[in-house]
Amino acid sequence: MKKIYYFLLVFAVLSTQALSVSAAVQTATAVQEEEGDEYPIIVVGTGFTTDILEHAKGGETVTFTVTLYEGYQIKSVSAEWGGIYGGGNVSVTNKGGTTYQFTMPDEGELYIGINNEYDMDPDYVTVTIVTEQVSTALQVIIADSKISTSATSADAGTTVTLTIRPDENDRMTRLTVDGQNINFANITANLSETENDYEAYDWQYVYTYSFTMPQHNVSVSAAFETTFGIVVEYATNCVVEVPHRAAAGEQVAVNIIPEAGYLWTGEITIHDSNYSLYVEDEDAIDENGLFTMPDDLYSPEFDIIYIGASCTAQDTPNALDAVSVEPAAVKLIENGNLIIRRGGNRYTLAGEAL
């Protein structure tokens, strides 16, 4: 009986193992049959319609086109698969324009739990399409970092203000807006000056200009030039008026105003910092009172022009003797006053004093 019982026990064990193997084979077959099933495709986003499939099989290539609503543009398109035990990214390729493509995932990774192993097959794929509204504002295109604007984009009819800040000691020579050179009479210029260590002035110009945005994009550009200091070195018995700065090669007006009882007889000197330029009297300025800045100026800090002038006391009985002028520079006007013109300046001697 014991042998029979043992045989039955062995048979039962073997039968159990056989059933386990059979079950395993059936389970594997069941998994194999699930491959190729269709999974749902979920689309997330606004501002568009799309012809994407609602379901697709694992391994299937899905191609779809996004049709945007008016005023929208695509910012990004992405996809990911998800399942009970996890998920992952799906690569999306742009095929040109608003057409995209991806391959449906077939199998996921193997998830190892505490007591069991799970096959992380995808249950669905989510396609996320991010759009953004396209701005209808027109663009203000700036061509120089020295120019800033109150708005880089604006609707037609909006007022846009430009601020132009050249490098120190530079000045703006041209402002072009929408292809037109702007008249400087319409540009506001604010100037700040600080005296430097070289008896001249450092300039900082700030220009502002406003315009109304047209029905198209606007380009803005400007041109600049470097200026050099002009210092009144001496003014004896007179006032010498000259601009604080001028560019190389620029003509500069020199205005000499004698004090009461004095006349300017033509005494003037002009030189640069190292005296490589030195001119005086009739060689300093022309008949119109203009002096031409040297062309070979390079450093605003060191290349400075110095101007000085002196006036002579007026002796009324011999006023004409104190004035050395060319005949063409003297004329008698109807009221009897003598007009003396020299270097762009006019001086009047009362007729009764002649």
Side-chain angles (χ1 to χ4, degrees):
M1 290 296 292
K2 289 183 179 180
K3 290 182 179 180
I4 294 173
Y5 177 79
Y6 179 76
F7 173 77
L8 291 173
L9 180 60
V10 171
F11 177 78
V13 171
L14 291 174
S15 298
T16 303
Q17 291 176 344
L19 289 172
S20 299
V21 172
S22 176
V25 172
Q26 290 178 0
T27 301
T29 302
V31 171
Q32 184 65 33
E33 289 175 352
E34 289 178 0
E35 293 180 2
D37 286 353
E38 290 188 341
Y39 306 107
I41 300 175
I42 303 168
V43 179
V44 178
T46 59
F48 63 90
T49 60
T50 179
D51 59 359
I52 196 169
L53 298 174
E54 293 183 356
H55 297 80
K57 295 179 180 181
E60 182 179 352
T61 298
V62 178
T63 303
F64 63 96
T65 299
V66 179
T67 302
L68 293 162
Y69 294 158
E70 184 176 356
Y72 282 83
Q73 64 184 8
I74 294 176
K75 190 174 182 180
S76 65
V77 177
S78 61
E80 60 181 7
W81 65 270
I84 297 175
Y85 301 107
N89 294 326
V90 177
S91 177
V92 180
T93 304
N94 180 260
K95 304 303 289 184
T98 60
T99 299
Y100 297 84
Q101 190 178 85
F102 67 91
T103 301
M104 289 290 288
D106 200 357
E107 291 185 359
E109 300 175 355
L110 192 65
Y111 175 78
I112 303 176
I114 297 176
N115 299 314
N116 300 292
E117 295 179 354
Y118 302 96
D119 191 12
M120 293 173 58
D121 288 336
D123 292 330
Y124 58 88
V125 170
T126 300
V127 177
T128 302
I129 302 172
V130 179
T131 61
E132 59 185 357
Q133 287 187 293
V134 180
S135 173
T136 58
L138 301 164
Q139 302 300 308
V140 181
I141 304 168
I142 303 298
D144 196 298
S145 61
K146 301 178 183 68
I147 306 172
S148 60
T149 175
S150 60
T152 57
S153 61
D155 295 328
T158 303
T159 298
V160 177
T161 299
L162 304 173
T163 302
I164 304 96
R165 185 183 295 272
D167 293 335
E168 192 174 73
N169 294 322
D170 284 5
R171 66 186 178 192
M172 184 171 66
T173 58
R174 174 182 53 79
L175 176 63
T176 303
V177 178
D178 199 23
Q180 301 294 321
N181 291 336
I182 305 303
N183 190 322
F184 269 81
N186 300 322
I187 301 173
T188 301
N190 295 311
L191 172 65
S192 61
E193 295 178 316
T194 55
E195 192 169 2
N196 61 27
D197 295 335
Y198 304 97
E199 298 180 332
Y201 290 88
D202 287 330
W203 270 18
Q204 179 60 70
Y205 258 126
V206 178
Y207 304 88
T208 55
Y209 174 73
S210 297
F211 66 94
T212 301
M213 197 70 182
Q215 296 283 347
H216 53 263
N217 294 341
V218 171
S219 295
V220 179
S221 63
F224 307 93
E225 66 181 357
T226 301
T227 60
F228 302 87
I230 301 175
V231 174
V232 176
E233 189 173 32
Y234 64 91
T236 305
N237 303 317
C238 60
V239 174
V240 179
E241 293 182 343
V242 290
H244 287 308
R245 307 189 70 82
E250 181 181 356
Q251 284 193 318
V252 175
V254 180
N255 189 28
I256 302 172
I257 305 173
E259 295 177 357
Y262 289 85
L263 287 174
W264 178 59
T265 62
E267 183 180 340
I268 182 173
T269 60
I270 299 177
H271 66 88
D272 60 5
S273 303
N274 55 16
Y275 283 85
S276 60
L277 164 73
Y278 185 88
V279 290
E280 59 183 353
D281 299 342
E282 66 270 11
D283 295 327
I285 55 178
D286 63 18
E287 65 277 7
N288 295 314
L290 298 176
F291 160 71
T292 302
M293 295 283 285
D295 290 324
D296 55 348
L297 300 176
Y298 300 102
S299 171
E301 289 186 344
F302 298 103
D303 291 331
I304 301 171
I305 299 300
Y306 297 88
I307 296 179
S310 296
C311 289
T312 302
Q314 177 180 339
D315 185 0
T316 301
N318 300 299
L320 288 179
D321 295 336
V323 181
S324 175
V325 296
E326 297 80 4
V330 179
K331 68 176 181 179
L332 188 66
I333 60 176
E334 293 181 359
N335 61 8
N337 291 338
L338 178 65
I339 303 301
I340 301 173
R341 180 177 178 83
R342 177 66 182 269
N345 302 288
R346 294 168 60 89
Y347 307 99
T348 301
L349 297 178
E352 57 268 26
L354 298 179

